[in-house]
Amino acid sequence: MKDHSLTALGRGSALGSPYLQGMVIGAAVTYLLTNETVQKALIRGVARVIGSVQGGVEEMRERYRDAEAEMAAEMEEEGPAA
């Protein structure tokens, strides 16, 4: 059975312990999220992604409207069914 107690932290590799890995990851995330420069960069990145998604959605809407117009034009050309 594995020993996950605090006395086992020093054994093995430096980042071999899940407890130590969690501490390092938590410290890094905390630093990044409290750093104003990183916050600004994240907000800019999110804004770019949202803008790209909105542009893509608008492009799909335009293609849908074009397809509808083409179908309507084809139906007009065929005339009423006899």
Side-chain angles (χ1 to χ4, degrees):
M1 189 158 110
K2 287 189 171 186
D3 183 9
H4 290 291
S5 65
L6 291 178
T7 57
L9 282 177
R11 298 185 203 142
S13 67
L15 292 176
S17 165
Y19 178 77
L20 192 54
Q21 287 175 352
M23 280 180 39
V24 170
I25 292 170
V29 169
T30 300
Y31 172 75
L32 292 174
L33 292 179
T34 57
N35 185 324
E36 190 173 331
T37 304
V38 174
Q39 288 175 355
K40 288 179 182 178
L42 284 173
I43 290 170
R44 273 191 235 115
V46 168
R48 285 185 189 136
V49 168
I50 289 172
S52 295
V53 168
Q54 286 175 340
V57 168
E58 191 56 41
E59 179 68 24
M60 290 301 295
R61 285 180 182 163
E62 185 177 329
R63 288 182 184 182
Y64 178 76
R65 285 187 223 115
D66 290 346
E68 278 185 326
E70 286 177 17
M71 289 173 46
E74 286 175 5
M75 290 182 73
E76 286 178 11
E77 286 177 2
E78 292 175 5

